[in-house]
Amino acid sequence: MIAYVEITSDEVDFREGRNDNGYWSVRRQKAFMHQGEHYPTPFEVTLEEKQQPYVPGKYVLAGGSFRLGKFGLELGRNIKLLPVADALAKLGELNRSPARSAAAA
C-alpha cells in the first residue's frame, strides 16, 4: 500500500493571538493520511502565510516535507503536498532519465 494524503475541503482554520514574543497567527487545513488501515488518520497541514489552500484531492508528501533528524529521516514541521498526478508525471520523468538507463546497462 502506498501512503497518501487526502484533502476533502478547501476550508482553512485561522487562529491568531499575542504572547511574550508578540503577535502570532497560524492557518491550518484538515487532511487525512491513508496508510492502508481501515480508516484514515486525520491531521492538519499548516499553510504558509500567503499560501493558497490545497484544493480537495489526493496528494503525496513533497521532498521539502522531510528533514534529517537525530534518529534519521523525519517529517518536518511544515509539510508540503504534491498532487498525485504531478507526482506520477515526475516519476515518469525519472524513469526516462539517461542516468537510470546507463545504470541498467
Side-chain angles (χ1 to χ4, degrees):
M1 174 68 177
I2 295 175
Y4 66 94
V5 174
E6 184 174 15
I7 300 287
T8 59
S9 169
D10 60 0
E11 186 175 320
V12 173
D13 177 41
F14 176 76
R15 295 177 189 235
E16 62 184 337
R18 282 202 174 281
N19 59 23
D20 293 340
N21 297 321
Y23 170 80
W24 61 268
S25 66
V26 66
R27 297 169 54 239
R28 294 186 178 136
Q29 191 172 2
K30 289 184 182 179
F32 298 90
M33 175 63 81
H34 294 266
Q35 302 179 83
E37 301 294 323
H38 191 66
Y39 296 105
T41 304
F43 72 103
E44 292 181 326
V45 176
T46 301
L47 302 173
E48 293 186 17
E49 187 176 332
K50 296 184 180 189
Q51 181 182 353
Q52 292 295 314
Y54 290 103
V55 298
K58 293 181 174 75
Y59 296 83
V60 295
L61 297 174
S65 300
F66 302 94
R67 65 184 178 139
L68 190 56
K70 184 176 179 180
F71 301 105
L73 196 60
E74 299 175 345
L75 197 55
R77 183 175 181 162
N78 292 321
I79 67 168
K80 304 291 181 214
L81 301 178
L82 182 65
V84 168
D86 293 352
L88 289 171
K90 292 274 187 199
L91 288 171
E93 290 171 16
L94 287 174
N95 196 38
R96 291 186 299 273
S97 73
R100 186 185 187 295
S101 299

